[in-house]
Amino acid sequence: MLTATDLATALDAIEWNQPRACSRATDEILHAVAKDHGMLTALVASLVHDMGRLRRCEANPLVDRLVLAEDTTGGDRWQLRLHAFPMGELELIPHDHKYPFAVHVLHGGYLHAWNRRTGAAQKGPFTSVDLAVGTVTVEGPGSSYLFSHSLVHQTAVIPGSVTLFLRGPARQSQWHSASDLHDLRHDDHGRPVRDDTRYRRSTPMSLAQLHTRIADLTRLGIITGRTTRP
C-alpha cells in the first residue's frame, strides 16, 4: 500500500522527457492510487483541512478539478488531480495542452479521438486543415494513457465520469485549439461564441462545493467516505 510519502517520492521520480519510461511509471502509479480506496479517500479528505490547496481546486462548467497532491519543491513538476464531469461534455474542437499528462478512468469514460498534425508545425497554433484523425479509442473504467503536449485530441465524455489526472511540467505558455472551428463553441444558452471564455470560467472551489463532490464520490463508490489512513 502506498503512503503519502511513497506517492510523492514516486511522482518526483517520473522522467517526463522519456515517453516510454514515463508511460510505465504513470500507469503504475495511477493504477496503485485507483485501487487503494484508503489512499484515495485520504487524499480527497485532506482538502477539507488544507485551505491553500483547496483554493487551487477549481469549479468549472466543463469539469471540476480536485488537487489531491502536488510538487512541493517549488519546481511545479507535477500535480495529481481528480477530475469530475457531472454533466458530460463534448470537446469536439481539436485542442492540445500546455503540459504532458496521464489519465486513469475511475468511473464512466469517453470517446477519445487522437489527431495527427499534418502541417509543417508539430506544435503551437493550428487549424483543422493541419490535422488528420490518427485513431479513435473508447476509454472506460480502468483505462489509462499518457498524452504529450504536442498531441491534439477531442473527447465526448459520459455524464458523471471521474478520472485521475496527473499533469507534468508546462511545455508551452498556452494551449491551442483549431482556430477555424471556434464558431462551433456555444455558451450555456446555446449561443455561438468566438472565444474560449467558457473554458476560462474556473473559480476556486468552495468548501461547500467540495463537500458536495465528496458526497458524489462516496455515492459512486470511488471513495469510502471516511479516512482510513493519515
Side-chain angles (χ1 to χ4, degrees), residues 15-35:
E15 300 179 68
W16 291 98
N17 291 326
Q18 303 294 327
R20 291 184 183 277
C22 183
S23 180
R24 287 193 298 268
T26 55
D27 183 72
E28 180 179 334
I29 293 168
L30 293 183
H31 271 83
V33 174
K35 71 180 183 181

Side-chain angles (χ1 to χ4, degrees), residues 75-118:
D76 195 26
R77 296 169 298 167
W78 57 266
Q79 188 180 64
L80 176 62
R81 305 197 297 246
L82 186 145
H83 284 186
F85 303 81
M87 302 304 293
E89 288 293 341
L90 303 180
E91 290 279 11
L92 297 183
I93 298 179
H95 60 280
D96 65 9
H97 287 257
K98 292 192 298 184
Y99 36 65
F101 64 86
V103 168
H104 180 99
V105 179
L106 297 172
H107 179 80
Y110 47 92
L111 188 69
H112 194 182
W114 302 64
N115 297 286
R116 294 186 298 108
R117 286 179 180 258
T118 57

Side-chain angles (χ1 to χ4, degrees), residues 26-206:
T26 55
D27 183 72
E28 180 179 334
I29 293 168
L30 293 183
H31 271 83
V33 174
K35 71 180 183 181
D36 189 339
H37 282 206
M39 163 63 76
L40 191 50
T41 299
L43 290 173
V44 173
S46 68
L47 283 165
V48 175
H49 307 290
D50 189 336
M51 292 299 102
R53 187 154 46 92
L54 179 58
R55 283 192 294 271
R56 289 187 287 282
C57 297
E58 298 178 350
N60 183 279
L62 300 179
V63 55
D64 286 345
R65 302 178 178 93
L66 276 63
V67 179
L68 303 182
E70 54 193 354
D71 181 10
T72 59
T73 67
D76 195 26
R77 296 169 298 167
W78 57 266
Q79 188 180 64
L80 176 62
R81 305 197 297 246
L82 186 145
H83 284 186
F85 303 81
M87 302 304 293
E89 288 293 341
L90 303 180
E91 290 279 11
L92 297 183
I93 298 179
H95 60 280
D96 65 9
H97 287 257
K98 292 192 298 184
Y99 36 65
F101 64 86
V103 168
H104 180 99
V105 179
L106 297 172
H107 179 80
Y110 47 92
L111 188 69
H112 194 182
W114 302 64
N115 297 286
R116 294 186 298 108
R117 286 179 180 258
T118 57
Q122 291 300 297
K123 61 180 180 179
F126 61 89
T127 69
S128 62
V129 177
D130 303 315
L131 302 174
V133 175
T135 186
V136 177
T137 62
V138 177
E139 311 294 351
S143 293
S144 62
Y145 60 88
L146 178 67
F147 194 86
S148 169
H149 68 284
S150 61
L151 296 176
V152 176
H153 69 164
Q154 301 155 272
T155 60
V157 183
I158 297 172
S161 295
V162 181
T163 66
L164 285 173
F165 182 97
L166 174 62
R167 72 146 176 85
R171 299 304 192 206
Q172 303 187 95
S173 60
Q174 66 181 66
W175 62 279
H176 312 86
S177 59
S179 57
D180 59 320
L181 299 181
H182 287 185
D183 285 348
L184 298 180
R185 290 182 174 141
H186 292 80
D187 64 16
D188 296 335
H189 303 287
R191 296 172 302 207
V193 294
R194 291 182 173 274
D195 58 25
D196 59 1
T197 52
R198 188 170 62 139
Y199 294 76
R200 300 181 184 278
R201 276 176 31 202
S202 295
T203 58
M205 183 171 290
S206 68

Side-chain angles (χ1 to χ4, degrees), residues 1-14 25 28-29 32-33 36 39 43 69 78 80 229-230:
M1 291 189 297
L2 283 174
T3 66
T5 300
D6 293 335
L7 177 61
T9 299
L11 293 170
D12 283 340
I14 293 175
E28 180 179 334
I29 293 168
V33 174
D36 189 339
M39 163 63 76
L43 290 173
W78 57 266
L80 176 62
R229 182 161 67 248

